Amino acid sequence: PFINYEGMYDECYYDCRAGIQPKRAHRFCFHCGEGAHWPVSCQLLQSWLTTVDKHVKEVERDGDGDVNEVSHKLWLKANTKPCPKCKAPIEKNDGCNHVTCVNPHCNHEFCWICQQDWNLHSTSTGGFFRCNRWVDQGEEHQYYDKAPAPEELVTPTDEDLSDPRRMRSIYGTAMHETRAKRRRARETARFIHHYQRYSAHSDSMELEGKMFDSCSERLKPTVLAAIEFSGDDNFNFGGKGLSFVFDAFTELRECRSVLKYSYALSYFRYTGARKRSQRRKLAESLAFEQMQSELEMLTEQMSDLVGRQQIRATQSQILYMTLTAAQKRRDFSSFMMRVLAKDVSQSNESSNNGEVEEEEGNDENNANREDRWQMLRGMGLPRTA
């Protein structure tokens, strides 16, 4: 009778008069020692944290770390270039590489490709429409395109520049730069989408945790009013005390944790490809997003009920939302468990047959096969032979 929602022994959990904050379990991953991070594996979690650090570290340096500010700076980095003279961010909105800074105090004219003064360009560099000047783009080309070795560098011929199929593959040309920039902007937008939601659930979980820690103290007036209204000295909310509120906060933390790390999983697993060979993955991603969306809706509704200074629902409403959210969370976790177990099964079958199956656009999952198996083993699933 004294077992709380997390399975811990707590004598005061079901006594509304105790006024004592209930015990909370310390949740951590037994494999890596970090906080609970289902449904991502330990190795995938480290990959995600590395990705976040790589994208955020530079733009966060001069700010306060606010996720909206970071997202704004990431967008500027992916979609704009600084004016070589005044450093004002400029977004290219036309096809011509002859760019004029819109800063009224600057009006500097330069080449979008090589960032040099436009007066350096003539017919030998492609004039107003393309630039074949070699530019070492530093970290950008290391991230998106491998720069050719000096001995491999070839100045494009007129024939190359007249054929878009050749020009888009020649490093340093306008078309190549445009394709690289578009890919960079698309990848940054995708990262921002996942990072914003990952951070939002993390922030909400922290705030709701603080609300939970002060729950008993905040509800004292409500408890005293309920006892006085009932006229029963033994009144205890149907013998359950405030356990229904504690249960709701605990389930809310579980849902937030699953949702938070589900965005880290989807960032690596669902890359947005729509090729015919990935139809199964497309169907899987649609099902994943549907269940993720449903769990988010229920989580936000439950947070609106209990995650405030004043409780905004009846006991029965809170109990119903807690049970509904818990069931949806279990359904979502079961779905992800089946997906990961199927990956392990297919990988083992390929290994047993002496085949190495590489799924296009999904190298991360193939590389983490053994790590996924360790995670599944920890959840009690047998390894498929």
Side-chain angles (χ1 to χ4, degrees):
F2 301 122
I3 304 301
N4 66 15
Y5 194 80
E6 295 182 291
M8 299 175 62
Y9 181 82
D10 190 348
E11 294 181 355
C12 300
Y13 195 75
Y14 298 98
D15 185 3
C16 68
R17 290 176 171 78
I20 301 176
Q21 193 64 24
K23 298 177 181 178
R24 294 177 63 177
H26 175 58
R27 302 163 65 252
F28 66 97
C29 173
F30 191 76
H31 183 62
C32 67
E34 298 292 335
H37 51 77
W38 169 257
V40 295
S41 65
C42 302
Q43 186 174 349
L44 201 61
L45 175 62
Q46 291 303 313
S47 297
W48 167 251
L49 296 177
T50 301
T51 301
V52 170
D53 184 68
K54 180 176 64 177
H55 280 81
V56 174
K57 189 174 182 180
E58 182 177 348
V59 298
E60 197 178 35
R61 186 178 304 160
D62 300 325
D64 58 3
D66 179 72
V67 63
N68 292 321
E69 181 184 355
V70 169
S71 299
H72 176 65
K73 289 181 178 180
L74 285 172
W75 186 91
L76 287 176
K77 182 180 178 183
N79 294 275
T80 67
K81 285 185 178 182
C83 170
K85 186 176 180 180
C86 70
K87 306 304 179 184
I90 298 176
E91 180 183 10
K92 184 181 177 184
N93 60 359
D94 210 342
C96 181
N97 290 313
H98 180 191
V99 179
T100 302
C101 180
V102 295
N103 184 350
H105 302 290
C106 179
N107 294 319
H108 177 59
E109 298 184 40
F110 63 97
C111 173
W112 182 260
I113 300 300
C114 66
Q115 300 283 287
Q116 300 297 316
D117 288 350
W118 186 251
N119 57 21
L120 298 177
H121 293 66
S122 62
T123 55
S124 62
T125 60
F128 285 80
F129 298 100
R130 54 180 174 262
C131 173
N132 60 1
R133 293 170 59 90
W134 169 250
V135 184
D136 186 358
Q137 300 180 23
E139 294 182 358
E140 290 191 0
H141 76 66
Q142 293 176 14
Y143 188 79
Y144 292 97
D145 296 276
K146 183 179 179 181
E151 61 273 11
E152 298 176 350
L153 180 59
V154 178
T155 301
T157 63
D158 290 340
E159 185 179 0
D160 291 332
L161 297 176
S162 65
D163 187 348
R165 292 174 299 178
R166 297 186 185 182
M167 191 166 63
R168 67 184 182 183
S169 62
I170 299 176
Y171 191 85
T173 62
M175 184 171 289
H176 179 278
E177 167 67 12
T178 300
R179 294 176 72 242
K181 184 174 180 63
R182 187 182 303 149
R183 183 164 60 248
R184 181 168 63 249
R186 187 167 56 244
E187 176 60 25
T188 300
R190 183 171 168 272
F191 170 78
I192 290 174
H193 170 87
H194 291 81
Y195 176 68
Q196 283 184 327
R197 286 153 181 79
Y198 170 88
S199 298
H201 285 297
S202 181
D203 293 342
S204 295
M205 186 164 59
E206 181 179 355
L207 292 173
E208 289 158 359
K210 293 178 180 178
M211 297 291 292
F212 182 31
D213 291 338
S214 62
C215 190
S216 294
E217 185 67 26
R218 289 188 296 105
L219 292 179
K220 273 186 179 180
T222 303
V223 172
L224 295 175
I227 294 174
E228 182 180 356
F229 179 79
S230 67
D232 182 4
D233 293 338
N234 296 319
F235 177 79
N236 194 31
F237 292 98
K240 296 294 185 179
L242 294 176
S243 62
F244 66 98
V245 179
F246 303 149
D247 292 352
F249 271 108
T250 304
E251 182 57 41
L252 192 56
R253 181 178 59 164
E254 294 287 339
C255 292
R256 289 290 187 196
S257 178
V258 171
L259 287 169
K260 172 184 175 180
Y261 291 107
S262 70
Y263 280 102
L265 175 67
S266 62
Y267 177 78
F268 289 106
R269 186 171 183 85
Y270 308 118
T271 58
R274 294 293 184 266
K275 295 184 178 181
R276 180 174 298 181
S277 61
Q278 294 183 295
R279 283 181 177 176
R280 183 180 68 83
K281 184 58 66 64
L282 173 59
E284 178 190 307
S285 68
L286 293 175
F288 178 93
E289 291 168 0
Q290 176 67 26
M291 300 186 74
Q292 186 185 52
S293 175
E294 292 172 355
L295 180 58
E296 279 187 322
M297 179 186 67
L298 292 172
T299 300
E300 296 302 334
Q301 289 177 352
M302 186 161 60
S303 179
D304 188 57
L305 295 182
V306 300
R308 295 175 177 267
Q309 289 294 334
Q310 301 295 332
I311 300 296
R312 299 161 58 93
T314 64
Q315 180 179 4
S316 59
Q317 288 176 323
I318 294 176
L319 286 171
Y320 174 77
M321 284 303 304
T322 303
L323 292 173
T324 304
Q327 184 59 51
K328 181 58 65 176
R329 175 178 59 84
R330 286 191 290 266
D331 292 343
F332 189 35
S333 293
S334 296
F335 169 79
M336 290 183 286
M337 185 73 72
R338 292 193 299 270
V339 166
L340 295 174
K342 190 171 183 179
D343 283 351
V344 173
S345 176
Q346 291 178 344
S347 297
N348 287 336
E349 289 177 2
S350 297
S351 298
N352 292 336
N353 294 332
E355 300 175 355
V356 179
E357 183 179 9
E358 292 185 6
E359 187 170 314
E360 186 175 355
N362 197 27
D363 294 337
E364 184 68 35
N365 287 322
N366 289 326
N368 292 337
R369 182 189 64 189
E370 187 61 26
D371 194 58
R372 288 199 303 270
W373 146 239
Q374 291 176 357
M375 179 175 62
L376 293 173
R377 182 176 58 181
M379 297 296 295
L381 282 184
R383 185 170 186 176
T384 305

